[in-house]
Amino acid sequence: LAKDFAGNIRESATRPDGGVYILGQVGTNVQIYTQQSSKKYTILQHGLDGICESISLSSSPHKNSTIAFVYSSYAQAKEVYVVDSIKQLESAKVITNENRLFTEHNLPRVKTFKWTSDKDDCAIEELLHYPPGKFKSTNLPLLVLIHSGPHAPNLNQFQLSTDTWGSLAATDGYGDQFLDEIRYEPLTRPGKDIHSGVHRLIQDGIVDLNRLAVVGYSYGGFLNNWLITQTTNFKAALSGSGSVDYVSALGTMKFPPLIDYLMGGFPWDTSDIYAKLSPIYQLDKVRTPTLIVTGEVGIRVPPGQNFMLERARHYLGVPVQLLIFPTERHSFRNNPWHGKIKVREELKWLNKYGHQN
């Protein structure tokens, strides 16, 4: 099934007539597709740009059984929708009102921004979150958010959490080839894409060159730590659970096959790539004040990687601060106050160094 679908399949549900509904991601949207059988093509059901999830069908034996799903978009918080026929998707009715609080506030507005990579003319998408009351304004400060994964994309979805920053980020969702292309160059290639996207925003007058900051967590932290060795344009950086030395990371992290895959082999196979991409060997180039955040007992990316980054910055005399959250692992879930403290300290750092007015 879905062998013709080039995007990322997130969910599926079997239809009473033997076909399937597929929740497929292409770019920043996750939409509903149908397929009658493995011999037929997948068909996009138009009507809802955004994120559909948790699809469920009634037990009716009829071909057009009632469908329920959760839907959200940039401007719409998650609610449950129902529709009697997939062909009437545009008229799906919302049956819950659990997040009405968010409709009563002046929230950031979001739009998709596309540009072409300077490296290979590949089309890239980013999500631009404008501050409330500033939609389509110019000469704005920019906070670049690099997603984690590297397979975890930023989506056309309403999200609020202590780990979510509204910002610009290159996104996945274009199939396996898009991800496979970063093998052997997991930092240099996406790093160049981010640089070209920021440059395009500056050229278009949307962003102020003198008010740039960057934030990344997990794989986003890997890229963050690499980017600040390549440019001094960022006035402030927020690095969360990233890595600076991929040889030691391979030997100590929870999921070493990720490093093996991204680097194209083990250190004894591709030692030149490990040396070239480990920021520890280029930290003398860094001038960007950096706030580092990590959990005390994380094993997905051990906190020792962050200790090395902080220590090197200290020796080099570049402004740095390391926050270690007790009992926390890779995702901060043990104490809700830790997330609030993390955001507070990040905002203080941006206000001090990033000129994020």
Side-chain angles (χ1 to χ4, degrees):
L1 289 167
K3 61 185 178 182
D4 65 313
F5 184 71
N8 176 32
I9 297 175
R10 299 173 71 92
E11 294 180 40
S12 64
T14 304
R15 293 160 48 180
D17 62 355
V20 292
Y21 291 116
I22 296 168
L23 299 187
Q25 178 200 343
V26 175
T28 59
N29 292 313
V30 177
Q31 296 171 291
I32 301 176
Y33 295 77
T34 57
Q35 187 175 22
Q36 187 59 39
S37 73
S38 60
K39 297 180 180 179
K40 302 290 185 179
Y41 289 105
T42 52
I43 300 173
L44 170 62
Q45 301 299 318
H46 295 279
L48 294 173
D49 288 341
I51 304 301
C52 297
E53 55 187 312
S54 304
I55 189 168
S56 180
L57 312 181
S58 69
S59 57
S60 168
H62 300 295
K63 184 175 181 179
N64 292 324
S65 58
T66 300
I67 305 165
F69 54 92
V70 174
Y71 169 76
S72 67
S73 67
Y74 306 139
Q76 173 63 54
K78 290 183 180 182
E79 300 292 354
V80 177
Y81 288 71
V82 296
V83 64
D84 291 330
S85 169
I86 193 64
K87 297 187 182 301
Q88 300 170 356
L89 193 58
E90 292 183 356
S91 58
K93 296 180 180 179
V94 59
I95 61 170
T96 60
N97 193 22
E98 298 300 316
N99 291 303
R100 61 184 179 277
L101 171 67
F102 298 117
T103 66
E104 300 169 358
H105 292 268
N106 186 19
L107 296 172
R109 291 185 62 183
V110 184
K111 76 171 186 178
T112 301
F113 185 83
K114 297 183 180 182
W115 84 97
T116 302
S117 169
D118 292 338
K119 179 178 176 60
D120 54 10
D121 294 329
C122 177
I124 310 262
E125 272 186 311
E126 64 196 21
L127 303 180
L128 281 177
H129 293 243
Y130 286 86
K134 299 284 188 178
F135 188 61
K136 293 188 177 181
S137 295
T138 58
N139 202 38
L140 293 170
L142 176 68
L143 179 63
V144 180
L145 168 64
I146 310 167
H147 63 69
S148 59
H151 52 274
N154 294 295
L155 298 170
N156 179 358
Q157 184 176 30
F158 188 95
Q159 287 185 313
L160 285 177
S161 78
T162 55
D163 293 324
T164 301
W165 284 94
S167 57
L168 172 156
T171 62
D172 298 328
Y174 296 96
D176 293 338
Q177 181 181 354
F178 193 81
L179 280 176
D180 289 343
E181 287 175 348
I182 70 171
R183 195 179 188 197
Y184 303 103
E185 44 184 348
L187 304 178
T188 51
R189 184 162 186 154
K192 289 176 181 177
D193 289 343
I194 292 170
H195 278 305
S196 62
V198 172
H199 180 66
R200 171 69 184 278
L201 289 170
I202 294 170
Q203 277 188 323
D204 289 355
I206 298 173
V207 166
D208 181 355
L209 170 63
N210 296 311
R211 294 191 291 171
L212 304 179
V214 60
V215 56
Y217 198 87
S218 191
Y219 172 72
F222 291 14
L223 255 175
N224 185 320
N225 297 342
W226 167 257
L227 283 172
I228 58 177
T229 68
Q230 305 299 303
T231 179
T232 58
N233 285 342
F234 295 112
K235 307 304 179 186
L238 310 175
S239 176
S241 292
S243 180
V244 293
D245 176 33
Y246 292 104
V247 175
S248 60
L250 176 75
T252 57
M253 70 186 297
K254 177 182 179 180
F255 192 63
L258 173 65
I259 302 298
D260 171 23
Y261 175 80
L262 291 176
M263 298 296 175
F266 293 105
W268 48 88
D269 299 320
T270 57
S271 57
D272 57 328
I273 296 178
Y274 279 82
K276 177 182 177 181
L277 297 184
S278 291
I280 191 71
Y281 300 111
Q282 301 189 53
L283 288 179
D284 58 324
K285 300 178 184 177
V286 177
R287 300 293 181 270
T288 305
T290 304
L291 174 66
I292 307 166
V293 176
T294 190
E296 178 187 31
V297 293
I299 56 174
R300 188 174 302 177
V301 180
Q305 294 290 322
N306 298 272
F307 299 164
M308 285 192 285
L309 176 59
E310 188 273 340
R311 190 163 297 174
R313 304 295 298 280
H314 175 74
Y315 290 150
L316 292 167
V318 180
V320 64
Q321 183 177 349
L322 172 63
L323 296 181
I324 306 169
F325 287 86
T327 73
E328 295 289 1
R329 296 183 181 273
H330 196 65
S331 300
F332 290 9
R333 296 176 179 174
N334 287 341
N335 187 331
W337 281 104
H338 287 167
K340 299 177 187 296
I341 294 168
K342 170 178 170 288
V343 171
R344 183 193 66 190
E345 294 302 312
E346 288 171 336
L347 289 172
K348 286 169 60 177
W349 194 262
L350 290 174
N351 286 328
K352 183 175 181 179
Y353 293 106
H355 307 293
Q356 300 289 319
N357 297 326

